[in-house]
């Protein structure tokens, strides 16, 4: 039977799906899960992550139409001539026919013990990289698997010899002895990788695993019980932290494809700001002018509680986690958690005891090597490559940023890292020009004064100097990185939404809390927001205005604040000042969260923030502006200096915390929890990057073959792709491109005319080949009836005489698809609510 192999890119002769599975495992080392599998049968482009699902799909959907190829061993020449003749006829009709691999070439005798060891190691690597599986369970799985292999193969060997003897076969022949030797050898698939040390050494050699290094910090004395005498003695214990060398990680990460992607990075057209390379800081740094292809690193730090925050061990096992990412990668790759790399893990208590300097010392040494004129020479895939790099940004929440960068607490009188604002000034000054920005020379002079004092200098707001200031391209006062997740989604948004809901439900009584929660529960959220839909808001939370909490996580808060106009807009009169405050905040966030902006927009943002802050003080004079309100006035400058703020927010880093918490919860062993977390993370990262890709570019979840003529807008598809109307093409109903889901009936931004985005509804998703460039969206154009300010969305409608167009991913103005939403007003039109302002670069 002939089946298509997506790896060989040709047809192969196999005995059904079992033969195809054997071929994929033996020749391409594909296991049961982990690698994307493409069907390819009859032009089907559906993808799978599990081998069993892949084989089941082929068996149910395609196996009935496969043709068996007759083999005639007695007249092989005649068969070859006939096959050549058939292939010639097929190629004349269908251009190029599939090349068939004969069955005798499929089952070559190249499966040896090393291949079995690689499969066994892949199993162990999958288990060891899973946070929910402790090492003791991995050892138990290995022991049971060894017993199962040994018993099964031993029984098969004895049964084989018995059958041979019954048929008069000489069991003392050399071939039989070799076969018996293989049976005995394969009984232990874990031979040579039975211990953790052997497994790690094998992964370092074969898969470029980067192991964390344990670095001592100092010595402390703990009490220990002597096993012989039972006496309590003092024992010297070395305080350590785990560090992962950056140069070793770069050897694993910088695959040829990633190097080409970094080299292809370009600046945006004049006037547009799309990345760090478009900001003023990139032009000001002499190092980046001399080495424009240098790697730009972004550092992140936060303390994470890995045990129950309400338990008795709170604070004892708290960890300090340091991550970093490479800014040179495009947004579609950098948004993946695989692009976030672990730098160091330590106990938070050690940070308070020893400070940040010894923890950051190895990082600074590697950065100095990368940012020197000589750079660092790395051996990448057998070739020596010169690499330059430098630290350009540091991200953290306010408390962690002030601590690491050497400032006093955010609750101090001088509360800002970028200017000399005081707590009273921020209550009435809402323009950046009203404050004096911090200067490098003045800061260094004040840091010397602050270090002489035990508690820092309250006049300057500086506690101590920052060791990162010793780097060539970084200084704490030029770190224009204010995290919008903590400032907005965990600060300003819950603070103001809580005040608004208190006004609407208790003061003006425009809507009840129960009705609001019912709408939150029943609302038809978009596909991208559905997993982050808001939780019910308890009446006690709205009633209590002492704190700023509203019971939502950051992603839920982002969804709630964007959907709130649709949820309650029908109950709020147009022109309501409190509702206008919400709309002003949303207009600010449209620019703040935009992946592409302009210098004109940043200037406009400055006055939007001014209007918002003034209206807040007018409506709520008894409530104080918080630090995060003040941070907003610096956003226009931050965008102009370092690019869009979304590329630097902490959200993707904090998604990694869940892994560390699960490791601690499952291990239940805190003797060296920092090492457990670091080792597990590195194995997980190695498994994720083993194929050289940061993120899977193309996945097809469902689809089928359809005749072009039967499609709505089929004539447009045929004309654009050069197809015949009676030709069959693969139509997907759900594809995932660089982690973003695209489904039929979603809306895409097709163009921008006169500053207004134009939309189209996806009718069909045509997949010609299993790649991003071969995905085409057949779109029905919509009419944009204008932006409704009250509901903060574009009103769209489908015209009676539909018009169609074809769009590829690269030709879209914005990659994020939209879902048609409706408000609770009577006969509500369809609203499209983009997450940010949409611009089209020239």
């Amino acid at each position: 039977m002939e089946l298509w192999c997506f790896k060989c890119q040709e047809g192969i002769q196999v005995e059904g799906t079992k033969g195809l599975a054997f071929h994929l495992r033996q020749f391409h080392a594909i296991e049961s899960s982990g690698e994307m599998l493409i069907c390819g049968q009859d032009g089907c482009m559906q993808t799978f992550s599990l081998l069993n699902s892949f084989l089941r799909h082929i068996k149910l959907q395609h196996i009935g139409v496969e043709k068996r190829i007759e083999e005639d061993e007695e007249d092989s020449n005649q068969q070859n001539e006939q096959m050549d003749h058939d292939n010639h006829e097929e190629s004349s009709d269908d251009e190029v026919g599939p090349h068939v691999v004969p069955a005798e070439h499929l089952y070559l005798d190249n499966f040896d013990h090393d291949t079995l060891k690689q499969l066994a190691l892949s199993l162990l690597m999958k288990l060891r990289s899973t946070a929910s599986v402790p090492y003791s369970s991995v050892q138990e799985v290995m022991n049971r698997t060894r017993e199962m292999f040994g018993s099964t193969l031993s029984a098969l060997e004895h049964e084989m010899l018995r059958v041979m003897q019954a048929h008069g076969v000489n069991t003392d022949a050399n071939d039989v002895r070799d076969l018996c030797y293989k049976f005995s050898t394969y009984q232990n698939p874990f031979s040579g990788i039975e211990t953790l040390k052997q497994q790690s050494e094998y992964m370092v050699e074969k898969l470029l695993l980067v192991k964390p290094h344990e670095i001592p910090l100092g010595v402390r004395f703990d009490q220990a019980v002597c096993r012989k005498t039972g006496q309590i003695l003092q024992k010297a214990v070395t305080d350590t932290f785990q560090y992962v060398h950056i140069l070793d990680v770069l050897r694993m990460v910088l695959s040829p494809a990633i190097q080409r992607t970094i080299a292809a990075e370009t600046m945006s057209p004049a006037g547009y700001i799309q990345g760090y390379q478009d900001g003023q800081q990139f032009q000001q740094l002499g190092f980046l002018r001399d080495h424009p292809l240098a790697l730009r690193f972004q550092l992140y730090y936060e303390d994470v509680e890995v045990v129950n925050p309400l338990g008795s061990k709170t604070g004892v096992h708290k960890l300090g986690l340091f991550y970093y990412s490479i800014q040179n990668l495009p947004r579609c790759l950098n948004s993946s958690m695989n692009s976030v790399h672990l730098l160091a893990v330590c106990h938070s208590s050690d940070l308070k005891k020893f400070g940040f300097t010894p923890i950051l010392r190895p990082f600074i040494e590697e950065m100095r090597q990368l940012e020197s004129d000589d750079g660092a020479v790395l051996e990448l895939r057998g070739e020596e490559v010169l690499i330059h790099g430098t630290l350009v940004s540091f991200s953290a929440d306010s408390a962690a940023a002030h601590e690491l960068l050497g400032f006093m607490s955010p609750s101090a009188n001088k509360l800002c890292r970028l200017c000399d604002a005081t707590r009273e000034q921020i209550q009435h000054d809402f323009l950046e020009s009203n404050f004096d920005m911090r200067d490098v020379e003045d800061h260094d002079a004040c840091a010397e004064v602050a270090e002489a004092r035990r508690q820092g200098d309250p006049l300057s707001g500086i506690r101590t100097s920052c060791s990162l200031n010793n780097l060539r391209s970084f200084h704490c006062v030029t770190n224009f990185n204010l995290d919008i997740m903590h400032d907005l989604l965990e600060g300003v948004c819950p603070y103001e939404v809580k005040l608004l809901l208190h006004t609407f439900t208790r003061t003006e009584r425009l809507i009840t809390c129960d009705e609001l929660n019912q709408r939150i529960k029943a609302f038809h959220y978009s596909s991208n927001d559905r997993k982050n839909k808001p939780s019910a808001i308890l009446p006690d939370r709205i009633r209590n205005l002492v704190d700023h909490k509203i019971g939502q996580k950051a992603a839920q808060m982002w969804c709630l604040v964007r959907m709130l106009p649709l949820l309650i807009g029908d109950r709020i009169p147009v022109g309501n000042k409190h509702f206008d405050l919400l709309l002003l905040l949303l207009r600010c966030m449209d620019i703040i969260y935009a992946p592409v902006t302009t210098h004109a927009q940043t200037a406009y943002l400055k006055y939007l923030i001014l209007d918002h802050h003034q209206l807040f003080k007018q409506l709520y004079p008894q409530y104080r502006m918080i630090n995060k309100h003040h941070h907003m006035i610096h956003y226009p400058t931050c965008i102009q200096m370092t690019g869009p703020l979304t590329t630097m927010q902490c959200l993707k880093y904090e998604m990694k915390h869940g892994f560390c918490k699960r490791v601690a919860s499952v291990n239940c062993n805190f003797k060296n929890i920092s090492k457990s977390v670091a080792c597990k993370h590195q194995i997980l990262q190695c498994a994720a990057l083993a194929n050289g890709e940061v993120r899977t570019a193309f996945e097809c979840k469902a689809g089928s073959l359809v005749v072009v003529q039967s499609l709505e807008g089929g004539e447009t598809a045929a004309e654009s792709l050069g197809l015949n109307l009676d030709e069959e093409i693969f139509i997907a109903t759900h594809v995932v491109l660089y982690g973003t889901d695209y489904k039929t009936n979603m809306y895409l931004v097709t163009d921008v005319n006169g500053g207004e985005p134009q939309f189209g509804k996806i009718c069909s998703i045509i997949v010609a080949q299993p790649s991003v460039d071969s995905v085409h969206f057949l779109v029905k154009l919509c009419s944009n009836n204008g932006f409704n300010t009250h509901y903060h969305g574009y009103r769209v409608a489908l015209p009676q005489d539909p018009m169609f167009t074809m769009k590829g991913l690269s030709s879209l103005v914005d990659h994020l698809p939209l879902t048609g939403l409706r408000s609770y007003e009577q006969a509500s039109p369809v609203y499209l609510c983009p997450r940010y302002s949409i611009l089209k670069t020239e």
Side-chain angles (χ1 to χ4, degrees):
M1 175 179 294
E2 179 193 335
L3 292 178
W4 182 265
C5 173
F6 68 95
K7 283 289 188 179
C8 300
Q9 287 296 299
E10 57 187 4
I12 58 174
Q13 286 293 317
V14 293
E15 297 176 1
T17 54
K18 291 184 178 180
L20 179 61
F22 180 86
H23 170 80
L24 293 174
R25 288 192 179 104
Q26 182 174 4
F27 288 90
H28 305 298
I30 291 180
E31 309 156 30
S32 59
S33 64
E35 184 170 352
M36 186 182 68
L37 309 171
I38 305 171
C39 175
Q41 316 301 322
D42 304 319
C44 178
M45 295 296 136
Q46 194 163 341
T47 61
F48 302 87
S49 58
L50 297 177
L51 183 59
N52 286 340
S53 301
F54 168 75
L55 298 174
R56 187 185 306 113
H57 165 80
I58 294 178
K59 186 174 182 180
L60 295 178
Q61 303 295 331
H62 303 286
I63 207 72
V65 298
E66 294 297 335
K67 298 179 180 179
R68 296 184 176 274
I69 299 178
E70 299 180 356
E71 297 179 355
D72 189 356
E73 297 180 357
E74 298 179 355
D75 195 3
S76 60
N77 293 333
Q78 181 179 354
Q79 184 191 33
N80 290 336
E81 292 176 0
Q82 182 64 31
M83 288 178 62
D84 290 340
H85 177 68
D86 293 342
N87 288 338
H88 177 72
E89 290 183 351
E90 291 176 0
S91 62
S92 62
D93 295 335
D94 302 324
E95 295 184 358
V96 180
H99 173 66
V100 179
V101 179
E104 57 267 21
H105 296 301
L106 178 62
Y107 300 99
L108 298 176
D109 190 19
N110 64 348
F111 189 88
D112 53 14
H113 189 261
D114 287 339
T115 306
L116 180 62
K117 183 191 292 187
Q118 291 179 9
L119 294 175
L121 181 69
S122 299
L123 170 64
L124 296 178
M125 192 173 182
K126 179 67 175 177
L127 293 174
R128 287 185 58 183
S129 64
T130 303
S132 57
V133 180
Y135 285 144
S136 58
S137 298
V138 177
Q139 190 66 34
E140 184 67 18
V141 169
M142 186 172 64
N143 294 336
R144 296 300 182 187
T145 304
R146 186 193 302 113
E147 293 177 5
M148 180 181 67
F149 264 70
S151 301
T152 303
L153 292 180
S154 178
L156 288 176
E157 180 184 0
H158 285 87
E159 181 66 15
M160 179 194 69
L161 293 176
R162 186 190 66 79
V163 173
M164 285 183 173
Q165 291 173 355
H167 288 76
V169 177
N170 181 15
T171 56
D172 293 329
N174 292 333
D175 291 345
V176 178
R177 289 181 178 272
D178 292 341
L179 186 58
C180 292
Y181 174 76
K182 287 187 176 182
F183 268 99
S184 61
T185 303
Y186 293 167
Q187 288 183 13
N188 182 12
F190 304 103
S191 176
I193 54 172
E194 295 178 299
T195 65
L196 291 176
K197 181 179 180 181
Q198 290 175 334
Q199 295 167 18
S200 298
E201 290 176 350
Y202 195 86
M203 284 188 280
V204 169
E205 178 184 358
K206 300 293 185 180
L207 301 174
L208 299 179
L209 170 68
V210 182
K211 297 171 61 178
H213 292 265
E214 196 167 46
I215 299 178
L217 290 171
V219 178
R220 73 175 190 274
F221 290 92
D222 283 350
Q223 289 184 344
V225 178
C226 180
R227 294 183 178 179
K228 294 183 179 180
T229 63
Q231 295 180 344
I232 298 177
L233 304 174
Q234 278 194 335
K235 179 182 178 182
V237 179
T238 303
D239 291 320
T240 62
F241 75 98
Q242 303 295 317
Y243 181 79
V244 183
H245 287 283
I246 292 178
L247 298 181
D248 293 337
V249 172
L250 292 180
R251 293 186 181 95
M252 176 181 67
V253 172
L254 295 180
S255 63
I258 295 298
Q259 293 182 60
R260 290 192 298 269
T261 301
I262 293 175
E265 183 185 30
T266 58
M267 296 180 64
S268 300
Y272 291 90
I273 305 174
Q274 197 167 0
Y276 182 86
Q277 71 278 10
D278 301 321
Q280 297 177 16
Q281 197 171 80
F282 182 88
Q283 308 298 328
Q284 295 172 0
L285 294 176
F287 174 78
L288 294 178
R289 287 200 305 269
D290 297 336
H291 306 284
L293 296 181
L295 301 179
R296 303 188 302 273
F297 293 94
Q298 178 181 343
L299 182 64
Y300 169 84
Y301 157 73
E302 188 172 9
D303 283 339
V304 178
E305 186 63 76
V306 295
V307 298
N308 183 3
L310 301 179
S312 60
K313 298 296 183 180
T314 303
V316 177
H317 303 298
K318 199 171 187 179
L319 296 179
L321 299 176
F322 296 80
Y323 299 109
Y324 65 93
S325 60
I326 301 173
Q327 282 193 353
N328 306 63
L329 296 178
R331 187 159 54 102
C332 61
L333 299 181
N334 247 339
S335 58
S336 169
M337 282 202 301
N338 294 335
S339 66
V340 177
H341 308 287
L342 181 67
L343 178 70
V345 185
C346 65
H347 283 87
S348 296
S349 57
D350 290 338
L351 281 173
K352 297 177 181 178
K353 181 179 180 181
F354 301 101
F356 285 92
T357 300
I359 307 291
L360 294 174
R361 184 176 294 119
F363 169 74
I364 292 174
E365 291 175 356
E366 289 192 288
M367 280 293 105
R368 282 177 172 172
Q369 182 180 356
L370 286 170
E371 66 185 11
S372 65
D373 293 333
D374 295 333
V377 179
L378 303 181
E379 185 176 344
L380 305 176
R381 275 68 175 177
E383 296 183 2
E384 290 188 348
V385 180
L386 179 63
I387 301 295
H388 289 89
T390 187
L391 177 68
V392 297
S393 178
F394 170 71
S395 296
D397 62 13
S398 294
H402 278 248
E403 187 179 5
L404 188 144
L405 296 178
F407 294 95
M408 298 183 71
S409 168
S411 60
N413 187 44
K414 291 292 184 72
L415 53 93
C416 184
R417 307 191 300 270
L418 298 179
C419 71
D420 64 350
T422 63
R423 196 155 297 280
E424 287 303 320
Q425 278 183 288
I426 68 172
Q427 302 303 319
H428 51 77
D429 289 337
F430 306 136
L431 286 175
E432 188 180 61
S433 58
N434 295 332
F435 303 93
D436 293 330
M437 302 296 288
R438 292 185 184 269
D439 179 75
V440 173
E441 295 181 359
D442 291 342
H443 176 88
D444 293 342
C446 293
E448 294 180 2
V449 175
E451 286 182 339
R453 302 180 180 181
R454 186 174 182 180
Q455 300 297 331
D457 183 13
L459 296 178
S460 62
I462 299 173
R463 181 176 50 85
T464 184
S465 61
C466 175
S467 56
L468 294 177
N469 293 346
N470 298 320
L471 293 176
R472 185 171 178 177
S473 304
F474 183 87
H475 197 279
C476 61
V477 300
T478 59
N479 179 49
F480 294 94
N481 186 345
L482 297 172
D483 182 54
I484 57 178
M485 186 199 80
H486 289 100
D487 286 351
L488 297 177
L489 304 183
E490 294 184 354
V492 174
C493 289
Y495 184 27
E496 296 190 0
V497 168
K498 188 172 187 176
L499 292 174
L500 292 174
L501 294 181
H502 183 273
T503 301
F504 295 149
T505 59
R506 301 185 61 82
T507 305
E508 299 182 354
R509 299 187 180 277
L510 298 174
I511 190 172
T512 65
C513 188
D514 291 339
E515 188 176 2
L516 172 63
N517 287 326
Q518 181 61 33
R519 291 187 174 193
I520 289 176
K521 181 179 180 180
F523 188 74
H524 178 69
Y525 297 93
S526 67
S527 299
N528 294 318
D529 286 330
R530 201 164 293 147
K531 57 185 176 182
N532 296 318
K533 66 180 182 179
S535 303
I537 303 174
L538 300 178
D540 290 342
R541 286 191 178 274
I542 298 178
R543 190 181 305 114
N544 179 21
L545 296 179
V546 176
D547 60 35
H548 307 158
K549 298 179 181 178
I550 200 172
Q552 310 291 333
K553 295 181 179 179
Q556 291 177 304
M557 193 67 234
W558 194 19
C559 177
L560 175 62
V561 73
R562 288 185 293 107
M563 295 297 107
L564 203 54
L566 295 177
L567 288 170
I568 64 175
D570 62 308
R571 294 297 185 88
I572 312 299
V574 176
N576 183 290
K577 289 295 183 181
H578 297 274
F579 198 70
D580 287 346
L581 178 67
L582 172 66
L583 297 177
L584 264 176
L585 178 61
L586 288 174
R587 290 169 64 187
C588 294
M589 293 176 66
D590 286 344
I591 301 176
I592 292 169
Y593 277 90
V596 182
T597 185
T598 63
H599 293 288
Q601 270 196 328
T602 58
Y604 177 57
L605 175 62
K606 176 173 67 174
Y607 294 102
L608 274 179
I609 294 173
L610 173 64
D611 293 342
H612 168 268
H613 287 14
Q614 288 177 340
L615 182 58
F616 178 87
K617 290 302 292 183
Q618 177 186 341
L619 296 176
Y620 306 104
Q622 70 275 29
Y623 294 98
R624 295 179 64 84
M625 306 289 288
I626 60 177
N627 297 15
K628 297 171 183 182
H629 276 117
H630 171 73
H631 289 171
M632 291 178 66
I633 73 171
H634 293 301
Y635 286 175
T637 298
C638 292
I639 295 173
Q640 290 181 353
M641 294 298 295
T642 59
L645 296 176
T646 53
T647 61
M648 301 182 185
Q649 65 176 332
C650 297
L651 188 59
K652 67 175 181 179
Y653 297 103
E654 294 204 356
M655 292 172 66
K656 284 264 186 177
H657 295 344
F659 176 82
C660 302
K661 294 177 182 179
R662 288 195 300 272
V663 170
S665 175
V666 172
N667 278 12
C668 297
N669 184 345
F670 296 91
K671 185 175 182 179
N672 196 346
I673 186 61
S674 60
K675 185 173 183 179
S676 299
V677 168
C679 291
K680 278 243 177 188
H681 177 276
Q682 288 308 108
I683 295 176
L684 173 68
Q685 200 77 345
C686 180
L689 301 175
N691 60 355
E693 295 182 356
V694 175
R695 160 170 272 169
T696 302
F698 169 84
E699 294 178 77
C700 179
K701 298 296 186 180
S704 60
L705 288 172
V706 176
V707 177
V708 176
Q709 192 172 12
S710 64
L711 296 175
E712 185 182 13
E715 294 81 1
T716 302
E719 182 179 354
S720 299
L721 301 179
L723 303 173
N724 297 322
L725 291 176
D726 58 351
E727 190 174 344
E728 283 190 338
I729 55 175
F730 185 79
I731 301 298
T733 55
H734 181 193
V735 296
V736 183
L737 306 180
Y738 291 114
T740 302
D741 292 270
Y742 297 86
K743 301 177 182 178
T744 52
N745 296 323
M746 283 184 168
Y747 292 81
L748 298 173
V749 182
T750 58
D751 201 356
V752 176
N753 292 329
E756 291 290 324
Q758 305 301 314
F759 304 97
K761 189 175 183 179
I762 301 177
C763 296
S764 302
I765 305 174
I766 302 173
V767 182
Q769 294 292 332
S771 66
V772 173
D773 295 335
S774 299
V775 176
H776 305 278
F777 300 102
L778 180 57
V779 176
K780 183 190 296 185
L781 297 179
C782 303
S783 59
N784 183 350
N785 296 329
F787 185 79
N788 189 310
T789 306
H790 190 72
Y791 291 99
H792 200 74
Y794 292 95
R795 292 175 298 170
V796 297
L798 294 174
Q800 294 182 352
D801 297 327
M803 296 180 62
F804 299 89
T805 185
M806 293 288 292
K807 289 288 182 179
L809 184 65
S810 59
S811 64
L812 294 177
V813 177
D814 184 66
H815 78 285
L816 196 64
L818 304 171
T819 300
L821 305 174
R822 295 182 186 273
S823 69
Y824 283 93
E825 61 183 316
Q826 291 292 332
S828 170
V830 175
Y831 291 101
L832 296 182
C833 303
R835 295 187 173 189
Y836 38 73
S837 174
I838 297 175
L839 289 178
K840 181 179 180 181
T841 56
E842 298 177 356

